[in-house]
Amino acid sequence: MNTDKGTFMVYKGKPLVRCKDTLYYGDMHDPYVTKLDIKSKKNVDGAEVSEKVIVRLMATDPTLPPNKMIEKTGERDGLFEALDMASYWLEKKLSDVKKEAN
């Protein structure tokens, strides 16, 4: 898998990777990313649009057990609202981690 940022879609300067109804937002080399799971969709003028989206802030540390990787969970109506929340959570957490390291 090519991990060059230039090969992925980018949202607010971070990679956004989609596989079916799951999206990962953030750089896997950072200590945290967000995972967005589309739980329901609706049809709007012939186009399928995300309706309910679960957002999770997750650690990327592979040594953690799966149940310890999830830091926060929330739900939003629509993909834009979910990406907005994911972006805020991720930026805040990465900023906090950077401050702790200094």
Side-chain angles (χ1 to χ4, degrees), residues 5 12 25 27 39 42 52-54 62 91 95 97:
K5 280 188 183 179
K12 293 187 178 182
Y25 173 63
D27 190 330
K39 293 300 178 186
K42 62 183 175 182
K52 295 287 182 192
V53 182
I54 304 294
E91 289 302 320
S95 174
V97 167

Side-chain angles (χ1 to χ4, degrees), residues 79-91:
L79 187 57
F80 178 77
E81 295 289 329
L83 272 171
D84 194 38
M85 182 167 73
S87 175
Y88 175 77
W89 281 0
L90 186 58
E91 289 302 320

